[in-house]
Amino acid sequence: MKKKALAAFLSLALLLALPLPASAAETTTQIYCTFSGFRTEAPPVTPAPAQPTYEVSIPAAYDTNTIPCLSITASNVDIGAGKLLTVSVDCEKTFDENGFFFLSNTERPNIKAICNLYRSDTYGTTGEWISSASTATVATFQNGATSPSSYGYLHADVSALDDTIDGTYTGTIYFKIELQDAP
């Protein structure tokens, strides 16, 4: 009997000494490590750079019969040093494949009038013709300035074509507002 009890005790001790399967084991592990001889304070945290903020005002409507030009202004330009905020005519969306901008008759959209766009530094003057992406910038703002440092006015000059008829004509000018590195 003593042999049986000793064999049972040894068998039980052997079973307890074997590793448990993973499903029965604990699933967390703690690792400890101590460093010495480095610094006593954490390194300084560098704050993330401030995100540029700006608010540009472009009128939603421009009636060439009553207003000499469209004014582009800003109420907030916080873009950081060395940056420029530019407002440009999006030539790909505004002009047709031949580089023309047309206004369409509101009652008969197939009847058109041609419209040339100009950028200017002075309110009410025609200025420079916008003929391509290289001349499409209509306002440039520097950090902190709410008045444009260049241009700021868009003038539309509408001309009748051979098939133009009496009526109201409309068109859409698309703009791009971009943050760029100052030259």
Side-chain angles (χ1 to χ4, degrees):
M1 176 90 162
K2 278 187 173 184
K3 285 186 179 184
K4 283 186 180 183
L6 183 61
F9 177 74
L10 287 175
S11 295
L12 181 61
L14 183 61
L15 283 174
L16 291 175
L18 292 175
L20 295 173
S23 61
E26 206 168 297
T27 59
T28 60
T29 302
Q30 292 184 2
I31 299 176
Y32 296 92
C33 180
T34 302
F35 288 100
S36 62
F38 290 99
R39 58 183 148 251
T40 58
E41 295 179 12
V45 176
T46 305
Q51 293 297 314
T53 59
Y54 49 86
E55 193 170 324
V56 175
S57 299
I58 303 171
Y62 169 26
D63 183 346
T64 61
N65 296 317
T66 60
I67 302 171
C69 62
L70 182 120
S71 298
I72 300 167
T73 59
S75 58
N76 173 37
V77 180
D78 185 10
I79 56 175
K83 298 288 184 185
L84 288 176
L85 182 66
T86 61
V87 180
S88 304
V89 172
D90 188 335
C91 293
E92 289 182 17
K93 292 181 178 178
T94 302
F95 298 109
D96 73 1
E97 63 278 354
N98 297 312
F100 294 107
F101 176 52
F102 293 100
L103 303 183
S104 299
N105 185 289
T106 55
E107 292 179 20
R108 296 177 58 194
N110 60 322
I111 305 294
K112 310 246 185 240
I114 193 162
C115 183
N116 289 313
L117 301 176
Y118 299 88
R119 63 185 184 179
S120 177
D121 288 324
T122 308
Y123 183 82
T125 61
T126 301
E128 257 182 273
W129 180 39
I130 299 172
S131 59
S132 67
S134 65
T135 58
T137 300
V138 292
T140 303
F141 297 90
Q142 295 179 347
N143 187 44
T146 56
S147 295
S149 55
S150 60
Y151 309 111
Y153 302 102
L154 179 76
H155 174 79
D157 183 29
V158 184
S159 301
L161 298 172
D162 291 341
D163 64 346
T164 302
I165 60 173
D166 288 349
T168 301
Y169 290 75
T170 63
T172 303
I173 301 171
Y174 296 89
F175 293 94
K176 290 191 289 189
I177 301 172
E178 299 174 301
L179 193 60
Q180 300 176 348
D181 292 328

